[in-house]
Amino acid sequence: MKQSITHGSLTNTIKLALPSLSVNEGIARSVISSFCICLGPTATDIADIKCAVSEAVTNCIVHAYKNSVGMIYITAEAFSDSVIKITIRDKGCGIADVKQARQPLFTTDAQNERSGLGFTVMESFMDRLSVRSVIGKGTTVIMHKKIGDAVG
Amino acid sequence: MLKNTDCIIEKTQGKTLTVILNGELDHHNAAKFRTKIDSLIQSKKPMTLVLDLAHIDFMDSSGLGLIMGRYQNVQGYGGKLIVRNPSEAILKICRLSGIGRFVKIETKQ
């Protein structure tokens, strides 16, 4: 059983299932940032989370379901120690080499002006990032962030 | 005042083309911005291209890709690119990427 990195109890959770259409990038950002309000985030927290969610959802649309449309499953969980955990899961093509994919500037889609910074943004803007993938089955991205640290 | 339906407004002054972008700069919108800006670059060949982000509410790494693509476009004929009026959040992602090595970033004073 995986060790939990949060010590708080679950106080709220939502689940979202969206088809991998690019118009849903903004919808996912809005829904998750609205959910985070319950933890009293700073403006920076909201901006960071919106960006990280946008990167993960965009990865599903651009890479996971490159030539098709599939479902993106997002779960957001709020914990009593002001930690938010966001899980973004797809059933797309999977990532052959996760370590390579997480390298800054690495991209398999340079011709479409992909910067290769999606995972770098997630890693920098969130406190913790985990990426699990199986070729042909899909990818699960889990991000954690402690909200409201600036307030103290 | 930019209308919700406007995605860009352009102003030309000599060899400087200023493009004011409106909305969100994500993967969904990047292609539309790219097409419009490239069309302007093609017709005007500005020596300085200014991307004004004052009316951009959100930008992720797709926006960085758009900026770098436009930089490569103008740099191809010796032009330069300036990013103007990024919000704090946009400035943060610009700093993370190191894009400031290639394009000048002008913030509101």
Side-chain angles (χ1 to χ4, degrees):
Chain A
M1 187 160 155
K2 283 202 179 124
Q3 191 181 13
S4 170
I5 73 145
T6 68
H7 301 288
S9 53
L10 186 69
T11 55
N12 198 6
T13 182
I14 58 162
K15 285 185 189 294
L16 196 54
L18 302 158
S20 60
L21 305 171
S22 62
V23 67
N24 286 334
E25 290 155 15
I27 292 170
R29 292 194 296 267
S30 293
V31 172
I32 301 305
S33 59
S34 293
F35 175 79
C36 292
I37 302 291
C38 71
L39 286 177
T42 63
T44 307
D45 289 333
I46 289 289
D48 288 352
I49 288 166
K50 275 179 77 170
C51 210
V53 167
S54 199
E55 301 292 352
V57 169
T58 299
N59 276 353
C60 296
I61 293 164
V62 171
H63 300 293
Y65 298 117
K66 188 168 21 206
N67 298 313
S68 61
V69 176
M71 292 305 289
I72 303 170
Y73 304 95
I74 306 176
T75 303
E77 295 165 275
F79 294 89
S80 59
D81 57 348
S82 297
V83 169
I84 184 152
K85 175 182 174 185
I86 301 166
T87 304
I88 296 174
R89 190 168 57 89
D90 66 69
K91 296 183 179 179
C93 62
I95 302 169
D97 186 339
V98 169
K99 195 172 169 188
Q100 182 186 54
R102 284 179 69 159
Q103 279 170 21
L105 305 173
F106 177 84
T107 182
T108 54
D109 196 23
Q111 69 265 32
N112 285 316
E113 298 187 344
R114 305 303 310 157
S115 66
L117 287 169
F119 283 129
T120 305
V121 169
M122 287 183 243
E123 211 154 346
S124 303
F125 289 12
M126 302 297 280
D127 294 340
R128 189 172 163 121
L129 171 72
S130 114
V131 182
R132 299 277 180 267
S133 191
V134 178
I135 291 287
K137 293 251 194 248
T139 301
T140 299
V141 169
I142 301 175
M143 307 185 273
H144 290 80
K145 190 174 181 72
K146 182 92 190 274
I147 300 289
D149 266 348
V151 178
Chain B
M1 179 78 175
L2 291 173
K3 300 194 290 281
N4 279 340
T5 50
D6 295 334
C7 98
I8 64 166
I9 285 180
E10 55 98 4
K11 297 183 200 175
T12 305
Q13 206 168 4
K15 291 301 277 176
T16 298
L17 169 66
T18 300
V19 178
I20 303 172
L21 286 78
N22 181 33
E24 295 184 311
L25 231 181
D26 61 1
H27 163 251
H28 177 63
N29 293 310
K32 139 187 106 173
F33 284 124
R34 176 181 178 173
T35 303
K36 286 184 191 263
I37 298 170
D38 279 351
S39 167
L40 287 166
I41 293 172
Q42 172 99 345
S43 63
K44 293 174 189 267
K45 285 283 192 283
M47 288 314 290
T48 302
L49 172 66
V50 178
L51 297 180
D52 191 321
L53 305 184
H55 296 272
I56 291 292
D57 307 315
F58 171 82
M59 185 176 101
D60 63 9
S61 70
S62 302
L64 293 172
L66 177 89
I67 293 169
M68 280 310 295
R70 304 313 41 74
Y71 164 76
Q72 274 153 8
N73 196 337
V74 302
Q75 202 231 10
Y77 58 80
K80 67 176 186 190
L81 191 145
I82 298 173
V83 169
R84 187 173 285 163
N85 299 325
S87 64
E88 277 303 313
I90 291 175
L91 206 49
K92 185 170 176 175
I93 197 176
C94 286
R95 286 193 187 121
L96 177 69
S97 69
I99 204 173
R101 286 172 293 164
F102 306 101
V103 309
K104 189 174 177 206
I105 301 175
E106 289 179 358
T107 52
K108 282 182 189 143
Q109 293 307 311

